[in-house]
Amino acid sequence: MNGSSPSTRERILAAAEALFAQRGFDGASLRQLTSAAGVNLAAVNYHFGSKDKLVEEVFRRRLDALNAHRLEALARIAGQPSTTVEDVLDAFIRPALELSHDDHGALFMRVLARAFAEHDDTLRQFLSDNYGHVIRQFTAEFARLLPHLGKAELYWRIDLVTGALTHAMSGFGLIRRQSGVSEQAHREQTITHLIRFSAAGLSHP
Amino acid sequence: MNGSSPSTRERILAAAEALFAQRGFDGASLRQLTSAAGVNLAAVNYHFGSKDKLVEEVFRRRLDALNAHRLEALARIAGQPSTTVEDVLDAFIRPALELSHDDHGALFMRVLARAFAEHDDTLRQFLSDNYGHVIRQFTAEFARLLPHLGKAELYWRIDLVTGALTHAMSGFGLIRRQSGVSEQAHREQTITHLIRFSAAGLSHP
DNA sequence: GCTGGAGTCAAACGATCGTTTGAGGATACG
DNA sequence: CGTATCCTCAAACGATCGTTTGACTCCAGC
């Protein structure tokens, strides 16, 4: 049933990631999408069942890898006495930024930011299912490192950190890569600024 | 040409604000919109020319008031020796949160967040025209209060503050108003958390 | 009283949307 | 060779989109 066509299915997913990031889920039509991918219009419904299912698949493919990397990085430092708030933030941020190594990965972060903006309930539910346990584990580690903060206070600050992350990762903001700076160096700079900023916001008395 | 119908035009704008926030610019159709507003379908094109012009009008109406309040608040404190980073943040944040006094104002903040997510160039250009000088004046005041930061460093931090603001103001996050807390108290709490968090992120060495 | 512009209305326009259909090509297995 | 399965293709489906049209109501001004 699968493993047969390495081409069509993947071409659709790649084109979908790019077009969803560029024009949004509603704005990108299946005709634009299949035309860009060089496949037949009916191929989407054949391989994925519907446009909504395709959207879910675009998310699942990336989120599974992203969350696995995050939890892996967290497991290496969680509970250790030498671990700092900056370390935990690095474990959360770096996998997301390094996903952008892949050209399509950078587009995916914009897709993710769009999904946050859309208040569609089914999509939020889907994201909550895939994200929930990750956020919970990171929150627990933050709580250990910041015992002076009440539960409500900690939630507030983590929520604001999430906002800064989403903003920076999706390329919303004014900051753009300078022409003289390599993609690699710019990413490292972004991580550094994000961690310093978030650590200060999280830790302050 | 104007001042004639106090009803139809305003009803369309109110319904548009709500539906754009809920379903997005593409997702909200003129038929849903005019039906919710209790006006005829053709009324939108008659009063605004097109759907795009209606979107622009929704933005212009709110942004003019928002930016005016922000600059007014900034003017009261800018350049004074006793002014703190927290004061400047308050001048920027409070007008946005108090726009939510109006029921429709709260919806507008979500519309604004959506506009950030849409990378539509014409809409970003429009926002830049209306927002640009405000951001510039606030940046200048931050630069005065944080002389130890380089220009690039300051831009980075302000960008991240913007992310946290957009996130919190649009109700993206996990934080929701508790049932026991009044709307007024919740808004004040949001402002307090935002200012403390952002001030720490902006000021840290 | 009549005229003319402003506003509202139902109806229709062409375009585009997501999805379905049925025929046909390709390949592997008996 | 026959046939079953996976896949692709052009074409069409009904629905909905933003927009336009032309008739109708209302009301102020000469």
Side-chain angles (χ1 to χ4, degrees):
Chain A
M1 42 196 69
N2 204 345
S4 50
S5 145
S7 177
T8 299
R9 214 185 119 94
E10 289 301 317
R11 291 237 291 276
I12 292 175
L13 283 171
E17 217 162 50
L19 268 178
F20 287 160
Q22 190 180 351
R23 319 211 195 204
F25 304 114
D26 286 348
S29 74
L30 290 186
R31 283 170 177 82
Q32 296 171 348
L33 203 157
T34 51
S35 174
V39 304
N40 187 271
L41 169 63
V44 170
N45 283 281
Y46 177 80
H47 285 282
F48 299 94
S50 70
K51 186 181 182 181
D52 285 339
K53 295 283 186 63
L54 170 62
V55 172
E56 278 197 14
E57 190 58 29
V58 167
F59 277 96
R60 190 186 316 276
R61 197 173 59 140
R62 297 283 181 182
L63 280 182
D64 285 356
L66 175 61
N67 289 344
H69 286 147
R70 279 175 165 167
L71 291 180
E72 191 181 332
L74 179 63
R76 279 199 295 270
I77 59 173
Q80 296 192 6
S82 64
T83 296
T84 65
V85 169
E86 280 85 352
D87 294 333
V88 182
L89 283 169
D90 191 273
F92 190 77
I93 296 171
R94 189 172 296 274
L97 271 288
E98 283 181 349
L99 190 71
S100 310
H101 251 121
D102 185 0
D103 281 349
H104 302 298
L107 293 174
F108 173 70
M109 295 316 298
R110 282 170 55 177
V111 172
L112 194 58
R114 266 188 189 277
F116 264 86
E118 318 261 351
H119 273 260
D120 181 274
D121 282 338
T122 70
L123 198 54
R124 287 178 78 82
Q125 183 64 38
F126 173 80
L127 288 178
S128 169
D129 290 348
N130 284 39
Y131 252 124
H133 66 295
V134 180
I135 294 284
R136 241 170 282 129
Q137 288 198 35
F138 274 87
T139 301
E141 185 64 13
F142 279 128
R144 185 180 74 85
L145 295 173
L146 301 165
H148 62 291
L149 298 181
K151 204 171 189 175
E153 183 70 32
L154 180 62
Y155 283 171
W156 263 107
R157 299 190 184 188
I158 289 180
D159 204 28
L160 296 177
V161 167
T162 304
L165 292 195
T166 308
H167 189 79
M169 293 190 312
S170 64
F172 276 2
L174 335 142
I175 306 286
R176 292 280 180 273
R177 183 165 62 93
Q178 310 273 14
S179 56
V181 183
S182 76
E183 179 66 37
Q184 166 82 23
H186 180 256
R187 179 165 51 248
E188 203 61 40
Q189 208 175 30
T190 303
I191 294 179
T192 302
H193 280 103
L194 265 173
I195 290 180
R196 285 211 205 114
F197 180 88
S198 303
L202 274 179
S203 311
H204 84 272
Chain B
M1 42 197 68
N2 204 346
S4 50
S5 145
S7 176
T8 299
R9 215 186 119 94
E10 289 301 317
R11 291 238 292 276
I12 291 175
L13 283 171
E17 217 161 51
L19 268 178
F20 287 160
Q22 189 181 352
R23 319 212 195 204
F25 305 114
D26 286 349
S29 75
L30 291 186
R31 283 171 177 82
Q32 295 171 347
L33 203 158
T34 51
S35 174
V39 304
N40 187 270
L41 170 62
V44 170
N45 282 282
Y46 178 80
H47 285 281
F48 299 94
S50 69
K51 186 181 182 179
D52 285 338
K53 294 286 186 60
L54 170 62
V55 171
E56 278 198 15
E57 190 57 30
V58 168
F59 277 96
R60 189 184 317 274
R61 195 174 59 141
R62 297 284 180 182
L63 279 183
D64 285 355
L66 175 60
N67 289 344
H69 286 148
R70 278 174 166 168
L71 291 180
E72 190 180 334
L74 179 63
R76 280 198 295 269
I77 59 173
Q80 296 192 4
S82 63
T83 296
T84 65
V85 169
E86 281 84 353
D87 293 334
V88 181
L89 284 169
D90 191 271
F92 190 78
I93 297 171
R94 190 172 295 275
L97 271 287
E98 282 182 347
L99 191 70
S100 311
H101 252 120
D102 186 359
D103 281 348
H104 301 297
L107 293 174
F108 174 70
M109 296 315 297
R110 282 172 54 177
V111 173
L112 194 58
R114 265 187 189 275
F116 264 87
E118 317 260 351
H119 273 261
D120 181 273
D121 282 338
T122 69
L123 197 55
R124 287 178 79 81
Q125 182 65 37
F126 173 80
L127 288 178
S128 169
D129 291 347
N130 284 40
Y131 253 124
H133 66 293
V134 180
I135 294 283
R136 239 171 285 129
Q137 289 199 34
F138 274 88
T139 301
E141 185 64 14
F142 279 129
R144 186 180 74 85
L145 296 174
L146 302 166
H148 62 290
L149 296 181
K151 205 171 187 175
E153 181 70 32
L154 181 62
Y155 284 171
W156 263 108
R157 298 190 184 188
I158 288 180
D159 204 27
L160 296 177
V161 168
T162 306
L165 293 196
T166 308
H167 189 80
M169 292 190 313
S170 64
F172 278 1
L174 334 142
I175 306 286
R176 293 279 181 274
R177 183 165 61 93
Q178 310 272 13
S179 55
V181 184
S182 76
E183 180 67 35
Q184 166 82 23
H186 180 257
R187 179 166 50 247
E188 204 60 41
Q189 207 175 31
T190 302
I191 295 180
T192 302
H193 280 103
L194 265 173
I195 291 182
R196 284 211 204 116
F197 180 89
S198 302
L202 274 179
S203 312
H204 83 271

